[in-house]
Amino acid sequence: MTQEEMILQTEKFVFRELNGEASGHDWWHIYRVTKITKTIAQQENANLFICEMGALLHDIADEKLNSNEAEGIEKVREWLIHVNVDETSISSIIEIISTMSFKGGGGPPMKTLEGKIVQDADRLDAMGAIGIARTFAFSGAKNQIIHDPNIKPREHVTKEEYRTGKTTAINHFYEKLLKLKELMNTDYGKKLAETKHQYMEEYLEVFFKEWEGE
């Protein structure tokens, strides 16, 4: 099986797994992240196969969509073996997927250029107009309210607190989205993040005016 065939089969697999998922981690999120990944990878002269496979599979292993992270990682490994990806590439792809998640922002830096690229692409899809839409979709899926001025954004939370603690959709901007611009790894990712960050700041300005009935 060629790399192109492996990618095509993986696209079909991920579509089957995530199509219709309602928290903002659906197939179309994968589609966008993969496109952004390919754009950055070409700019940064990275290994396009590793980048594309990492982008396609990154949410298959996410603990939000599995009973635990280890189960998700094993599902990814089994798929990569199924489509005959070589062991060196499997290790590279698994390393990206197992370390790229935000999880409160306290994780170690990505070890490889390919990992940095996929992480940037995933974070870029959490910003701007799409990021705003995904935030409200995710909050609704988690039964979180839109906003409550009495519930303050959380700082320095643990991974578990970040995943399960009480918060709001608007607080998520301050707990994650507005932090992402400064966490970009690649020069091209930083460039793309600037406009998206500005849009989110402008959105919040309008939101708070309307919240007060202005």
Side-chain angles (χ1 to χ4, degrees), residues 154-167:
R154 303 165 299 173
E155 290 289 342
H156 310 299
V157 293
T158 65
K159 170 185 165 183
E160 184 64 25
E161 289 168 340
Y162 178 75
R163 289 287 195 224
T164 63
K166 184 178 181 180
T167 191

Side-chain angles (χ1 to χ4, degrees), residues 125-139 169-170 172-173 177 196 199-204:
D125 200 56
M127 302 176 70
I130 289 290
I132 292 169
R134 291 182 65 219
T135 293
F136 290 112
F138 182 77
S139 293
I170 291 299
H172 191 61
F173 284 81
L177 307 192
K196 290 173 174 284
Y199 184 84
M200 292 189 298
E201 289 187 324
E202 292 169 354
Y203 172 82
L204 287 171

Side-chain angles (χ1 to χ4, degrees), residues 21-199:
E21 197 279 334
S23 78
H25 299 85
D26 60 341
W27 160 251
W28 293 108
H29 164 63
I30 301 298
Y31 169 83
R32 292 188 302 270
V33 169
T34 302
K35 289 197 72 172
I36 299 168
T37 292
K38 291 167 69 175
T39 298
I40 300 175
Q42 289 163 354
Q43 292 284 330
E44 301 287 339
N45 295 315
N47 184 316
L48 192 57
F49 176 72
I50 298 297
C51 286
E52 192 164 356
M53 291 293 278
L56 284 169
L57 291 163
H58 80 273
D59 269 344
I60 294 295
D62 197 296
E63 58 191 5
K64 293 187 293 294
L65 305 176
N66 294 280
S67 59
N68 58 68
E69 189 173 27
E71 176 187 283
I73 292 295
E74 185 58 30
K75 185 189 297 184
V76 171
R77 183 180 296 280
E78 289 175 357
W79 173 256
L80 292 170
I81 293 170
H82 173 71
V83 292
N84 296 316
V85 176
D86 65 277
E87 188 56 43
T88 299
S89 295
I90 289 176
S91 296
S92 297
I93 295 164
I94 293 293
E95 193 276 329
I96 291 171
I97 292 171
S98 61
T99 56
M100 64 178 280
S101 182
F102 183 76
K103 296 177 184 174
M110 301 299 288
K111 296 178 181 179
T112 65
L113 174 60
E114 289 73 24
K116 292 175 181 178
I117 289 168
V118 179
Q119 187 178 64
D120 276 5
D122 188 42
R123 288 176 170 177
L124 285 164
D125 200 56
M127 302 176 70
I130 289 290
I132 292 169
R134 291 182 65 219
T135 293
F136 290 112
F138 182 77
S139 293
K142 294 295 183 180
N143 294 316
Q144 294 172 348
I145 61 175
I146 293 174
H147 180 50
D148 182 344
N150 296 314
I151 302 175
K152 303 302 180 184
R154 303 165 299 173
E155 290 289 342
H156 310 299
V157 293
T158 65
K159 170 185 165 183
E160 184 64 25
E161 289 168 340
Y162 178 75
R163 289 287 195 224
T164 63
K166 184 178 181 180
T167 191
T168 69
I170 291 299
N171 280 355
H172 191 61
F173 284 81
Y174 299 96
E175 294 171 357
K176 177 181 178 180
L177 307 192
L178 294 174
K179 297 178 178 181
L180 295 177
K181 184 182 76 166
E182 301 303 323
L183 295 175
M184 289 294 147
N185 300 295
T186 64
D187 289 339
Y188 199 72
K190 291 173 184 177
K191 178 181 176 182
L192 295 175
E194 287 287 344
T195 302
K196 290 173 174 284
H197 182 89
Q198 182 178 348
Y199 184 84

